Amino acid sequence: MIRILVAEHLPLVRRGLVASLDGEDDLRVVADVGSGEDIVPAALELRPDAAVIDADLPGVDGLTAAARLGEKAPRCRVMLLSAQPSPGHFKRAFAAGVLGYLSIEVAPEHLADGIRRMAAGRRVVDSELAVAALEAADCPLTPREHEVLRLAAGGGRSKDIAAELGLSVGTVRNHLSRILVKTGARNRVDAVRIATDSGWL
């Protein structure tokens, strides 16, 4: 019997996941929670073999919760479900130790089979997402541009970034201009989004 924790913030979707998984002879949902904050406490109390987590949870998102779960309950295998998966999110998920990553629109029988394979220690990946991740372009930014964009992503203004990196404000603005050109972004917020979605940040 594979014991499962389900984390999904939408009650109707959560109930559907629970009903679908509990309908399998070898799967049993031992906990269902509606927030990322509740995942680790429930896992520590009930010791599930696997967790099925919505990647898009509000507050503590699914990826953050999965990383925490990996630290606190490393024997629990994690499956992320995402409505809008991106190659960057996909790469970060596997870097955090997630074993499964599927679209939330996956057929119930494929989800159940994925959990079985994951519980056996195998990776379970949405094939289209895997192809997109492999085809994602390498980061076009120089190390310095990457550093500037990382600080911009944290909310740093040009003068703050300049002070942090020991550069002039003009140099930082030049870096930001080149970043916009290289990423095809309209502004720095758009550049951060593109870089995050592509797995560069």
Side-chain angles (χ1 to χ4, degrees):
M1 184 68 68
I2 300 171
R3 294 160 47 83
I4 303 165
L5 179 152
V6 171
E8 165 56 58
H9 66 289
L10 298 173
L12 191 60
V13 177
R14 186 168 69 249
R15 287 185 196 131
L17 284 167
V18 171
S20 172
L21 295 172
D22 271 344
E24 300 288 328
D25 292 339
D26 58 338
L27 305 180
R28 180 175 162 223
V29 176
V30 295
D32 64 278
V33 299
S35 74
E37 292 89 346
D38 296 331
I39 292 173
V40 170
L44 292 176
E45 178 186 351
L46 298 165
R47 309 253 177 223
D49 303 304
V52 177
I53 302 173
D54 180 355
D56 307 309
L57 291 172
V60 176
D61 65 86
L63 183 54
T64 301
R68 290 179 184 171
L69 192 57
E71 293 173 6
K72 303 289 186 181
R75 291 184 181 177
C76 181
R77 309 292 171 86
V78 177
M79 165 86 69
L80 283 183
L81 300 179
S82 180
Q84 295 180 316
S86 70
H89 197 266
F90 172 82
K91 289 177 182 176
R92 288 193 303 280
F94 284 106
V98 169
L99 272 188
Y101 200 117
L102 297 173
S103 166
I104 202 159
E105 297 177 6
V106 65
E109 61 272 18
H110 291 152
L111 176 60
D113 184 55
I115 291 170
R116 292 182 188 103
R117 286 165 39 216
M118 189 178 67
R122 301 204 308 266
R123 282 193 173 174
V124 180
V125 183
D126 181 286
S127 58
E128 289 184 14
L129 185 58
V131 170
L134 288 171
E135 291 178 345
D138 291 332
C139 181
L141 307 179
T142 66
R144 178 62 87 189
E145 289 164 353
H146 184 272
E147 205 168 7
V148 167
L149 187 58
R150 180 182 59 78
L151 293 171
R157 295 172 299 171
S158 294
K159 68 177 186 179
D160 301 324
I161 296 169
E164 173 115 5
L165 299 179
L167 302 172
S168 71
V169 173
T171 300
V172 169
R173 288 184 179 143
N174 287 340
H175 281 309
L176 287 168
S177 293
R178 283 195 293 274
I179 288 166
L180 296 186
V181 171
K182 288 182 177 181
T183 60
R186 297 182 304 276
N187 52 46
R188 71 167 69 185
V189 173
D190 195 32
V192 168
R193 179 192 60 77
I194 290 168
T196 301
D197 287 347
S198 299
W200 303 333
L201 281 180

